[in-house]
CSV table of all heavy atoms in Angstrom, one decimal:
chain,number,residue,atom,x,y,z
A,274,MET,N,-5.6,-49.6,26.5
A,274,MET,CA,-6.7,-48.7,26.5
A,274,MET,C,-6.9,-48.1,27.9
A,274,MET,O,-6.8,-48.8,28.9
A,274,MET,CB,-7.9,-49.6,26.2
A,274,MET,CG,-9.2,-48.8,25.9
A,274,MET,SD,-10.6,-49.8,25.5
A,274,MET,CE,-10.8,-49.3,23.8
A,275,ALA,N,-7.0,-46.8,28.0
A,275,ALA,CA,-7.1,-46.1,29.2
A,275,ALA,C,-8.5,-46.3,29.8
A,275,ALA,O,-9.5,-46.4,29.2
A,275,ALA,CB,-6.8,-44.6,29.0
A,276,ARG,N,-8.5,-46.3,31.1
A,276,ARG,CA,-9.8,-46.4,31.9
A,276,ARG,C,-10.4,-45.0,32.0
A,276,ARG,O,-9.7,-44.0,32.3
A,276,ARG,CB,-9.5,-47.0,33.2
A,276,ARG,CG,-9.0,-48.4,33.1
A,276,ARG,CD,-8.9,-49.2,34.3
A,276,ARG,NE,-10.1,-49.4,35.1
A,276,ARG,CZ,-11.0,-50.3,34.9
A,276,ARG,NH1,-10.9,-51.1,33.8
A,276,ARG,NH2,-12.0,-50.4,35.7
A,277,SER,N,-11.7,-45.0,31.9
A,277,SER,CA,-12.4,-43.7,32.0
A,277,SER,C,-12.5,-43.3,33.5
A,277,SER,O,-12.2,-44.1,34.4
A,277,SER,CB,-13.9,-43.9,31.5
A,277,SER,OG,-14.6,-44.7,32.4
A,278,GLU,N,-12.8,-42.0,33.6
A,278,GLU,CA,-12.9,-41.5,35.0
A,278,GLU,C,-14.0,-42.3,35.8
A,278,GLU,O,-13.8,-42.5,37.0
A,278,GLU,CB,-13.2,-40.0,35.0
A,278,GLU,CG,-12.0,-39.2,34.5
A,278,GLU,CD,-10.8,-39.4,35.3
A,278,GLU,OE1,-10.8,-39.4,36.5
A,278,GLU,OE2,-9.7,-39.6,34.6
A,279,ALA,N,-15.1,-42.6,35.1
A,279,ALA,CA,-16.2,-43.4,35.8
A,279,ALA,C,-15.7,-44.8,36.2
A,279,ALA,O,-16.0,-45.2,37.4
A,279,ALA,CB,-17.4,-43.5,34.9
A,280,GLN,N,-14.8,-45.4,35.4
A,280,GLN,CA,-14.3,-46.7,35.8
A,280,GLN,C,-13.3,-46.6,36.9
A,280,GLN,O,-13.3,-47.4,37.8
A,280,GLN,CB,-13.6,-47.3,34.5
A,280,GLN,CG,-14.5,-47.8,33.5
A,280,GLN,CD,-13.8,-48.2,32.2
A,280,GLN,OE1,-12.8,-47.6,31.8
A,280,GLN,NE2,-14.3,-49.2,31.5
A,281,LYS,N,-12.5,-45.5,36.9
A,281,LYS,CA,-11.6,-45.3,38.0
A,281,LYS,C,-12.3,-45.1,39.3
A,281,LYS,O,-11.9,-45.6,40.4
A,281,LYS,CB,-10.7,-44.1,37.7
A,281,LYS,CG,-9.7,-44.4,36.6
A,281,LYS,CD,-8.8,-43.2,36.3
A,281,LYS,CE,-8.0,-43.4,35.1
A,281,LYS,NZ,-7.2,-42.1,34.7
A,282,ALA,N,-13.4,-44.3,39.2
A,282,ALA,CA,-14.2,-44.0,40.4
A,282,ALA,C,-14.8,-45.3,40.9
A,282,ALA,O,-14.9,-45.6,42.2
A,282,ALA,CB,-15.3,-43.0,40.1
A,283,ALA,N,-15.3,-46.1,40.0
A,283,ALA,CA,-15.9,-47.4,40.4
A,283,ALA,C,-14.9,-48.3,41.1
A,283,ALA,O,-15.2,-49.0,42.0
A,283,ALA,CB,-16.6,-48.1,39.2
A,284,ASP,N,-13.7,-48.3,40.5
A,284,ASP,CA,-12.6,-49.1,41.1
A,284,ASP,C,-12.3,-48.7,42.5
A,284,ASP,O,-12.1,-49.5,43.4
A,284,ASP,CB,-11.3,-49.0,40.3
A,284,ASP,CG,-11.4,-49.6,38.9
A,284,ASP,OD1,-12.3,-50.5,38.7
A,284,ASP,OD2,-10.5,-49.3,38.1
A,285,GLY,N,-12.3,-47.4,42.8
A,285,GLY,CA,-12.1,-46.9,44.1
A,285,GLY,C,-13.2,-47.3,45.1
A,285,GLY,O,-12.9,-47.7,46.2
A,286,ARG,N,-14.4,-47.2,44.6
A,286,ARG,CA,-15.5,-47.6,45.5
A,286,ARG,C,-15.4,-49.1,45.8
A,286,ARG,O,-15.7,-49.5,47.0
A,286,ARG,CB,-16.9,-47.3,44.8
A,286,ARG,CG,-17.2,-45.8,44.8
A,286,ARG,CD,-18.6,-45.5,44.4
A,286,ARG,NE,-19.0,-46.1,43.1
A,286,ARG,CZ,-18.8,-45.5,41.9
A,286,ARG,NH1,-18.2,-44.3,41.8
A,286,ARG,NH2,-19.1,-46.1,40.8
A,287,TYR,N,-15.1,-49.9,44.8
A,287,TYR,CA,-14.9,-51.3,45.1
A,287,TYR,C,-13.8,-51.6,46.1
A,287,TYR,O,-14.0,-52.4,47.0
A,287,TYR,CB,-14.7,-52.1,43.7
A,287,TYR,CG,-14.5,-53.5,43.9
A,287,TYR,CD1,-15.5,-54.4,44.1
A,287,TYR,CD2,-13.2,-54.1,43.9
A,287,TYR,CE1,-15.4,-55.7,44.3
A,287,TYR,CE2,-13.0,-55.5,44.1
A,287,TYR,CZ,-14.1,-56.3,44.3
A,287,TYR,OH,-13.9,-57.6,44.5
A,288,ARG,N,-12.7,-51.0,45.9
A,288,ARG,CA,-11.6,-51.2,46.9
A,288,ARG,C,-12.0,-50.8,48.3
A,288,ARG,O,-11.7,-51.5,49.2
A,288,ARG,CB,-10.4,-50.3,46.4
A,288,ARG,CG,-9.4,-51.0,45.5
A,288,ARG,CD,-8.1,-50.2,45.4
A,288,ARG,NE,-8.3,-48.8,44.9
A,288,ARG,CZ,-8.5,-48.5,43.7
A,288,ARG,NH1,-8.5,-49.3,42.7
A,288,ARG,NH2,-8.6,-47.2,43.4
A,289,GLU,N,-12.7,-49.7,48.4
A,289,GLU,CA,-13.1,-49.3,49.8
A,289,GLU,C,-14.1,-50.3,50.4
A,289,GLU,O,-14.0,-50.6,51.5
A,289,GLU,CB,-13.8,-47.9,49.7
A,289,GLU,CG,-12.8,-46.8,49.5
A,289,GLU,CD,-13.6,-45.4,49.3
A,289,GLU,OE1,-14.7,-45.3,49.7
A,289,GLU,OE2,-12.9,-44.5,48.7
A,290,LYS,N,-15.0,-50.8,49.5
A,290,LYS,CA,-16.0,-51.7,50.0
A,290,LYS,C,-15.4,-53.1,50.4
A,290,LYS,O,-15.9,-53.7,51.3
A,290,LYS,CB,-17.1,-51.9,48.9
A,290,LYS,CG,-18.2,-52.8,49.2
A,290,LYS,CD,-19.3,-52.9,48.1
A,290,LYS,CE,-18.8,-53.8,47.1
A,290,LYS,NZ,-19.9,-54.1,46.0
A,291,THR,N,-14.4,-53.5,49.7
A,291,THR,CA,-13.8,-54.8,50.0
A,291,THR,C,-12.6,-54.8,50.8
A,291,THR,O,-12.1,-55.9,51.2
A,291,THR,CB,-13.5,-55.6,48.7
A,291,THR,OG1,-12.6,-54.8,47.9
A,291,THR,CG2,-14.8,-55.8,47.8
A,292,GLN,N,-12.1,-53.6,51.2
A,292,GLN,CA,-10.9,-53.5,52.0
A,292,GLN,C,-11.0,-54.3,53.3
A,292,GLN,O,-11.9,-54.2,54.1
A,292,GLN,CB,-10.5,-52.1,52.3
A,292,GLN,CG,-9.2,-51.9,53.0
A,292,GLN,CD,-8.4,-50.8,52.4
A,292,GLN,OE1,-8.9,-50.1,51.6
A,292,GLN,NE2,-7.2,-50.8,52.8
A,293,GLY,N,-10.0,-55.2,53.5
A,293,GLY,CA,-10.0,-55.9,54.8
A,293,GLY,C,-10.8,-57.2,54.8
A,293,GLY,O,-10.8,-57.9,55.8
A,294,LYS,N,-11.6,-57.4,53.7
A,294,LYS,CA,-12.5,-58.6,53.7
A,294,LYS,C,-11.8,-59.8,53.1
A,294,LYS,O,-12.3,-60.9,53.4
A,294,LYS,CB,-13.7,-58.3,52.9
A,294,LYS,CG,-14.7,-57.3,53.6
A,294,LYS,CD,-16.0,-57.2,52.8
A,294,LYS,CE,-16.9,-56.2,53.5
A,294,LYS,NZ,-18.2,-56.1,52.8
A,295,TYR,N,-10.8,-59.7,52.3
A,295,TYR,CA,-10.1,-60.8,51.7
A,295,TYR,C,-8.6,-60.8,51.9
A,295,TYR,O,-8.0,-59.7,52.2
A,295,TYR,CB,-10.4,-60.7,50.1
A,295,TYR,CG,-11.8,-60.8,49.8
A,295,TYR,CD1,-12.6,-59.7,49.6
A,295,TYR,CD2,-12.4,-62.0,49.7
A,295,TYR,CE1,-13.9,-59.8,49.2
A,295,TYR,CE2,-13.8,-62.1,49.3
A,295,TYR,CZ,-14.5,-61.0,49.1
A,295,TYR,OH,-15.8,-61.1,48.8
A,296,LYS,N,-8.1,-62.0,51.9
A,296,LYS,CA,-6.7,-62.1,52.1
A,296,LYS,C,-6.2,-63.1,51.1
A,296,LYS,O,-6.8,-64.1,50.9
A,296,LYS,CB,-6.4,-62.6,53.5
A,296,LYS,CG,-5.1,-62.6,54.0
A,296,LYS,CD,-5.1,-63.0,55.5
A,296,LYS,CE,-3.8,-62.7,56.2
A,296,LYS,NZ,-3.8,-63.1,57.6
A,297,HIS,N,-5.0,-62.9,50.5
A,297,HIS,CA,-4.4,-63.8,49.6
A,297,HIS,C,-3.8,-65.0,50.3
A,297,HIS,O,-3.2,-64.9,51.3
A,297,HIS,CB,-3.4,-63.2,48.7
A,297,HIS,CG,-3.9,-62.2,47.8
A,297,HIS,ND1,-4.4,-62.5,46.6
A,297,HIS,CD2,-4.0,-60.8,47.8
A,297,HIS,CE1,-4.9,-61.5,45.9
A,297,HIS,NE2,-4.6,-60.4,46.7
A,298,PHE,N,-4.0,-66.2,49.7
A,298,PHE,CA,-3.4,-67.4,50.1
A,298,PHE,C,-2.6,-68.0,49.0
A,298,PHE,O,-3.1,-68.5,48.0
A,298,PHE,CB,-4.5,-68.4,50.6
A,298,PHE,CG,-3.9,-69.7,51.1
A,298,PHE,CD1,-3.6,-69.8,52.4
A,298,PHE,CD2,-3.8,-70.8,50.3
A,298,PHE,CE1,-3.1,-71.0,53.0
A,298,PHE,CE2,-3.3,-72.0,50.8
A,298,PHE,CZ,-3.0,-72.1,52.1
A,299,VAL,N,-1.3,-67.8,49.0
A,299,VAL,CA,-0.4,-68.1,47.8
A,299,VAL,C,0.4,-69.3,48.1
A,299,VAL,O,1.0,-69.5,49.2
A,299,VAL,CB,0.5,-66.9,47.5
A,299,VAL,CG1,1.4,-67.2,46.3
A,299,VAL,CG2,-0.3,-65.7,47.3
A,300,VAL,N,0.5,-70.2,47.2
A,300,VAL,CA,1.4,-71.4,47.3
A,300,VAL,C,2.1,-71.5,45.9
A,300,VAL,O,1.7,-71.1,44.9
A,300,VAL,CB,0.6,-72.7,47.5
A,300,VAL,CG1,-0.1,-72.7,48.9
A,300,VAL,CG2,-0.4,-73.0,46.4
A,301,ASN,N,3.3,-72.1,46.0
A,301,ASN,CA,4.1,-72.4,44.8
A,301,ASN,C,4.1,-73.9,44.6
A,301,ASN,O,4.5,-74.7,45.5
A,301,ASN,CB,5.5,-71.9,45.0
A,301,ASN,CG,5.5,-70.4,45.0
A,301,ASN,OD1,4.9,-69.7,44.2
A,301,ASN,ND2,6.3,-69.8,45.8
A,302,LEU,N,3.7,-74.3,43.4
A,302,LEU,CA,3.7,-75.8,43.1
A,302,LEU,C,4.5,-76.0,41.8
A,302,LEU,O,4.7,-75.1,41.0
A,302,LEU,CB,2.3,-76.2,42.8
A,302,LEU,CG,1.3,-76.1,43.9
A,302,LEU,CD1,-0.1,-76.3,43.4
A,302,LEU,CD2,1.6,-77.0,45.0
A,303,LYS,N,5.0,-77.2,41.7
A,303,LYS,CA,5.7,-77.6,40.4
A,303,LYS,C,4.6,-77.5,39.3
A,303,LYS,O,3.5,-77.8,39.6
A,303,LYS,CB,6.3,-79.0,40.5
A,303,LYS,CG,7.4,-79.0,41.5
A,303,LYS,CD,8.0,-80.4,41.6
A,303,LYS,CE,9.1,-80.5,42.6
A,303,LYS,NZ,9.7,-81.8,42.7
A,304,CYS,N,5.1,-77.2,38.1
A,304,CYS,CA,4.1,-77.0,37.0
A,304,CYS,C,3.2,-78.2,36.8
A,304,CYS,O,2.0,-78.1,36.6
A,304,CYS,CB,4.9,-76.6,35.8
A,304,CYS,SG,5.6,-75.0,35.8
A,305,ASP,N,3.8,-79.4,36.8
A,305,ASP,CA,3.0,-80.6,36.5
A,305,ASP,C,2.1,-80.9,37.6
A,305,ASP,O,0.9,-81.3,37.4
A,305,ASP,CB,3.9,-81.8,36.2
A,305,ASP,CG,4.9,-82.1,37.4
A,305,ASP,OD1,5.3,-81.2,38.1
A,305,ASP,OD2,5.2,-83.3,37.5
A,306,GLU,N,2.5,-80.6,38.8
A,306,GLU,CA,1.6,-80.8,40.0
A,306,GLU,C,0.4,-79.8,39.9
A,306,GLU,O,-0.7,-80.2,40.2
A,306,GLU,CB,2.5,-80.6,41.3
A,306,GLU,CG,1.8,-80.9,42.6
A,306,GLU,CD,2.7,-80.6,43.7
A,306,GLU,OE1,3.5,-79.7,43.7
A,306,GLU,OE2,2.6,-81.5,44.7
A,307,CYS,N,0.7,-78.6,39.6
A,307,CYS,CA,-0.3,-77.5,39.5
A,307,CYS,C,-1.3,-77.9,38.4
A,307,CYS,O,-2.5,-77.8,38.6
A,307,CYS,CB,0.3,-76.2,39.2
A,307,CYS,SG,-0.8,-74.8,39.2
A,308,ASP,N,-0.8,-78.3,37.3
A,308,ASP,CA,-1.7,-78.7,36.2
A,308,ASP,C,-2.6,-79.8,36.6
A,308,ASP,O,-3.8,-79.8,36.3
A,308,ASP,CB,-0.9,-79.1,34.9
A,308,ASP,CG,-0.1,-78.0,34.3
A,308,ASP,OD1,-0.5,-76.8,34.6
A,308,ASP,OD2,0.8,-78.2,33.6
A,309,ARG,N,-2.1,-80.8,37.3
A,309,ARG,CA,-2.9,-82.0,37.7
A,309,ARG,C,-4.0,-81.6,38.7
A,309,ARG,O,-5.1,-81.9,38.6
A,309,ARG,CB,-2.0,-83.0,38.4
A,309,ARG,CG,-2.7,-84.3,38.8
A,309,ARG,CD,-1.7,-85.3,39.3
A,309,ARG,NE,-0.9,-84.9,40.4
A,309,ARG,CZ,-1.3,-84.9,41.7
A,309,ARG,NH1,-2.4,-85.4,42.0
A,309,ARG,NH2,-0.5,-84.5,42.6
A,310,ILE,N,-3.6,-80.7,39.6
A,310,ILE,CA,-4.5,-80.2,40.7
A,310,ILE,C,-5.6,-79.4,40.0
A,310,ILE,O,-6.8,-79.5,40.3
A,310,ILE,CB,-3.8,-79.5,41.8
A,310,ILE,CG1,-2.9,-80.5,42.6
A,310,ILE,CG2,-4.8,-78.7,42.7
A,310,ILE,CD1,-2.0,-79.8,43.5
A,311,GLU,N,-5.2,-78.4,39.1
A,311,GLU,CA,-6.2,-77.6,38.5
A,311,GLU,C,-7.2,-78.4,37.6
A,311,GLU,O,-8.4,-78.1,37.6
A,311,GLU,CB,-5.5,-76.5,37.6
A,311,GLU,CG,-4.9,-75.4,38.5
A,311,GLU,CD,-4.2,-74.4,37.6
A,311,GLU,OE1,-3.7,-74.7,36.5
A,311,GLU,OE2,-4.1,-73.2,38.1
A,312,ALA,N,-6.7,-79.4,37.0
A,312,ALA,CA,-7.5,-80.3,36.1
A,312,ALA,C,-8.5,-81.0,37.0
A,312,ALA,O,-9.7,-81.1,36.6
A,312,ALA,CB,-6.7,-81.3,35.3
A,313,ALA,N,-8.1,-81.5,38.1
A,313,ALA,CA,-9.0,-82.2,39.0
A,313,ALA,C,-10.1,-81.3,39.6
A,313,ALA,O,-11.3,-81.7,39.7
A,313,ALA,CB,-8.2,-82.9,40.2
A,314,ILE,N,-9.7,-80.1,40.0
A,314,ILE,CA,-10.6,-79.1,40.5
A,314,ILE,C,-11.6,-78.7,39.4
A,314,ILE,O,-12.9,-78.7,39.7
A,314,ILE,CB,-9.9,-77.9,41.0
A,314,ILE,CG1,-9.1,-78.2,42.3
A,314,ILE,CG2,-10.8,-76.7,41.3
A,314,ILE,CD1,-8.1,-77.1,42.7
A,315,SER,N,-11.2,-78.5,38.2
A,315,SER,CA,-12.1,-78.1,37.1
A,315,SER,C,-13.0,-79.3,36.8
A,315,SER,O,-14.2,-79.0,36.6
A,315,SER,CB,-11.2,-77.8,35.9
A,315,SER,OG,-12.0,-77.4,34.8
A,316,ALA,N,-12.5,-80.5,36.8
A,316,ALA,CA,-13.4,-81.7,36.5
A,316,ALA,C,-14.5,-81.8,37.5
A,316,ALA,O,-15.5,-82.3,37.2
A,316,ALA,CB,-12.5,-82.9,36.4
A,317,ALA,N,-14.2,-81.4,38.7
A,317,ALA,CA,-15.2,-81.5,39.8
A,317,ALA,C,-16.2,-80.3,39.8
A,317,ALA,O,-17.1,-80.3,40.5
A,317,ALA,CB,-14.5,-81.6,41.2
A,318,GLY,N,-15.9,-79.4,38.9
A,318,GLY,CA,-16.8,-78.2,38.8
A,318,GLY,C,-16.7,-77.2,39.9
A,318,GLY,O,-17.6,-76.5,40.2
A,319,LEU,N,-15.5,-77.2,40.5
A,319,LEU,CA,-15.3,-76.3,41.7
A,319,LEU,C,-14.3,-75.1,41.3
A,319,LEU,O,-13.5,-75.3,40.4
A,319,LEU,CB,-14.6,-77.1,42.8
A,319,LEU,CG,-15.4,-78.3,43.4
A,319,LEU,CD1,-14.5,-79.0,44.4
A,319,LEU,CD2,-16.6,-77.8,44.0
A,320,SER,N,-14.4,-74.1,42.0
A,320,SER,CA,-13.4,-73.0,42.0
A,320,SER,C,-12.3,-73.4,42.9
A,320,SER,O,-12.4,-74.3,43.7
A,320,SER,CB,-14.0,-71.7,42.4
A,320,SER,OG,-14.3,-71.7,43.8
A,321,LYS,N,-11.2,-72.8,42.7
A,321,LYS,CA,-10.0,-73.1,43.6
A,321,LYS,C,-10.4,-72.8,45.1
A,321,LYS,O,-10.0,-73.5,46.0
A,321,LYS,CB,-8.8,-72.3,43.2
A,321,LYS,CG,-8.2,-72.7,41.9
A,321,LYS,CD,-7.1,-71.8,41.5
A,321,LYS,CE,-6.6,-72.1,40.1
A,321,LYS,NZ,-5.5,-71.2,39.6
A,322,ALA,N,-11.1,-71.7,45.3
A,322,ALA,CA,-11.5,-71.3,46.7
A,322,ALA,C,-12.4,-72.3,47.3
A,322,ALA,O,-12.3,-72.7,48.4
A,322,ALA,CB,-12.1,-69.9,46.7
A,323,GLU,N,-13.4,-72.8,46.5
A,323,GLU,CA,-14.4,-73.8,47.0
A,323,GLU,C,-13.7,-75.1,47.2
A,323,GLU,O,-14.0,-75.8,48.2
A,323,GLU,CB,-15.5,-74.0,46.0
A,323,GLU,CG,-16.6,-74.9,46.5
A,323,GLU,CD,-17.2,-74.5,47.8
A,323,GLU,OE1,-17.3,-73.3,48.1
A,323,GLU,OE2,-17.7,-75.4,48.5
A,324,PHE,N,-12.7,-75.5,46.4
A,324,PHE,CA,-11.9,-76.7,46.6
A,324,PHE,C,-11.2,-76.6,48.0
A,324,PHE,O,-11.2,-77.5,48.8
A,324,PHE,CB,-10.9,-76.9,45.5
A,324,PHE,CG,-9.9,-77.9,45.8
A,324,PHE,CD1,-10.2,-79.3,45.8
A,324,PHE,CD2,-8.6,-77.5,46.2
A,324,PHE,CE1,-9.2,-80.2,46.1
A,324,PHE,CE2,-7.7,-78.5,46.5
A,324,PHE,CZ,-8.0,-79.8,46.4
A,325,LEU,N,-10.6,-75.5,48.2
A,325,LEU,CA,-9.8,-75.3,49.5
A,325,LEU,C,-10.8,-75.3,50.7
A,325,LEU,O,-10.5,-75.9,51.7
A,325,LEU,CB,-9.0,-74.0,49.4
A,325,LEU,CG,-8.1,-73.7,50.6
A,325,LEU,CD1,-7.1,-74.8,50.7
A,325,LEU,CD2,-7.4,-72.4,50.3
A,326,ARG,N,-11.9,-74.7,50.6
A,326,ARG,CA,-12.9,-74.7,51.7
A,326,ARG,C,-13.3,-76.1,52.0
A,326,ARG,O,-13.4,-76.5,53.2
A,326,ARG,CB,-14.1,-73.8,51.3
A,326,ARG,CG,-13.8,-72.4,51.3
A,326,ARG,CD,-15.1,-71.6,51.0
A,326,ARG,NE,-14.8,-70.2,50.7
A,326,ARG,CZ,-14.8,-69.7,49.5
A,326,ARG,NH1,-15.2,-70.4,48.5
A,326,ARG,NH2,-14.5,-68.4,49.3
A,327,ARG,N,-13.6,-76.9,51.0
A,327,ARG,CA,-14.0,-78.3,51.2
A,327,ARG,C,-12.9,-79.1,51.8
A,327,ARG,O,-13.2,-80.0,52.6
A,327,ARG,CB,-14.5,-78.9,49.9
A,327,ARG,CG,-15.9,-78.3,49.4
A,327,ARG,CD,-16.3,-79.0,48.2
A,327,ARG,NE,-17.6,-78.5,47.7
A,327,ARG,CZ,-18.4,-79.1,46.8
A,327,ARG,NH1,-18.0,-80.3,46.3
A,327,ARG,NH2,-19.5,-78.5,46.4
A,328,ALA,N,-11.7,-78.9,51.3
A,328,ALA,CA,-10.6,-79.7,51.8
A,328,ALA,C,-10.4,-79.4,53.3
A,328,ALA,O,-10.1,-80.3,54.1
A,328,ALA,CB,-9.3,-79.3,51.0
A,329,VAL,N,-10.5,-78.1,53.7
A,329,VAL,CA,-10.4,-77.8,55.1
A,329,VAL,C,-11.5,-78.4,55.9
A,329,VAL,O,-11.3,-78.9,57.0
A,329,VAL,CB,-10.3,-76.2,55.3
A,329,VAL,CG1,-10.4,-75.8,56.7
A,329,VAL,CG2,-9.0,-75.7,54.7
A,330,GLU,N,-12.7,-78.4,55.4
A,330,GLU,CA,-13.8,-79.0,56.1
A,330,GLU,C,-13.5,-80.5,56.4
A,330,GLU,O,-13.8,-81.0,57.5
A,330,GLU,CB,-15.1,-78.9,55.3
A,330,GLU,CG,-15.8,-77.6,55.3
A,330,GLU,CD,-17.0,-77.6,54.5
A,330,GLU,OE1,-17.6,-78.6,54.2
A,330,GLU,OE2,-17.5,-76.4,54.1
A,331,GLN,N,-13.0,-81.2,55.4
A,331,GLN,CA,-12.6,-82.6,55.5
A,331,GLN,C,-11.5,-82.8,56.6
A,331,GLN,O,-11.6,-83.7,57.4
A,331,GLN,CB,-12.1,-83.2,54.2
A,331,GLN,CG,-13.3,-83.3,53.2
A,331,GLN,CD,-14.4,-84.2,53.7
A,331,GLN,OE1,-14.1,-85.3,54.1
A,331,GLN,NE2,-15.6,-83.7,53.6
A,332,LEU,N,-10.5,-81.9,56.6
A,332,LEU,CA,-9.5,-82.0,57.6
A,332,LEU,C,-10.0,-81.8,59.0
A,332,LEU,O,-9.7,-82.4,60.0
A,332,LEU,CB,-8.4,-81.0,57.3
A,332,LEU,CG,-7.5,-81.2,56.2
A,332,LEU,CD1,-6.5,-80.0,55.9
A,332,LEU,CD2,-6.6,-82.5,56.4
A,333,GLU,N,-10.9,-80.8,59.1
A,333,GLU,CA,-11.5,-80.5,60.5
A,333,GLU,C,-12.4,-81.6,61.0
A,333,GLU,O,-12.5,-81.9,62.2
A,333,GLU,CB,-12.3,-79.2,60.4
A,333,GLU,CG,-11.4,-78.0,60.2
A,333,GLU,CD,-12.2,-76.7,60.0
A,333,GLU,OE1,-13.4,-76.7,59.6
A,333,GLU,OE2,-11.6,-75.6,60.1
A,334,LYS,N,-13.1,-82.4,60.1
A,334,LYS,CA,-13.9,-83.5,60.5
A,334,LYS,C,-13.0,-84.6,61.1
A,334,LYS,O,-13.5,-85.3,61.9
A,334,LYS,CB,-14.7,-84.0,59.3
A,334,LYS,CG,-15.8,-83.2,58.9
A,334,LYS,CD,-16.5,-83.8,57.7
A,334,LYS,CE,-17.6,-82.9,57.1
A,334,LYS,NZ,-18.3,-83.5,56.0
A,335,LYS,N,-11.8,-84.8,60.6
A,335,LYS,CA,-11.0,-85.8,61.0
A,335,LYS,C,-10.3,-85.6,62.4
A,335,LYS,O,-9.8,-86.5,63.0
A,335,LYS,CB,-9.9,-86.1,60.0
A,335,LYS,CG,-10.4,-86.7,58.7
A,335,LYS,CD,-9.3,-86.9,57.7
A,335,LYS,CE,-9.9,-87.5,56.4
A,335,LYS,NZ,-8.8,-87.8,55.5
A,336,GLN,N,-10.4,-84.4,62.8
A,336,GLN,CA,-9.7,-84.0,64.1
A,336,GLN,C,-10.6,-84.3,65.3
A,336,GLN,O,-11.7,-84.2,65.4
A,336,GLN,CB,-9.3,-82.5,64.1
A,336,GLN,CG,-8.3,-82.3,63.1
A,336,GLN,CD,-7.9,-80.8,63.1
A,336,GLN,OE1,-8.4,-80.0,63.8
A,336,GLN,NE2,-6.9,-80.5,62.2
């Protein structure tokens, strides 16, 4: 389904507004490892980003 001109314009505004604010953090995991981690994160009611933020906080506390 093609996007309307209004949707395309909104996409452009969003890109401009968020440019430079976010950066991707990519990791490669074995499938079974990824499934286990995603299940644990989901069971805790967290997003992947929130999980990572909390993990970093814990690491920083130990230093």
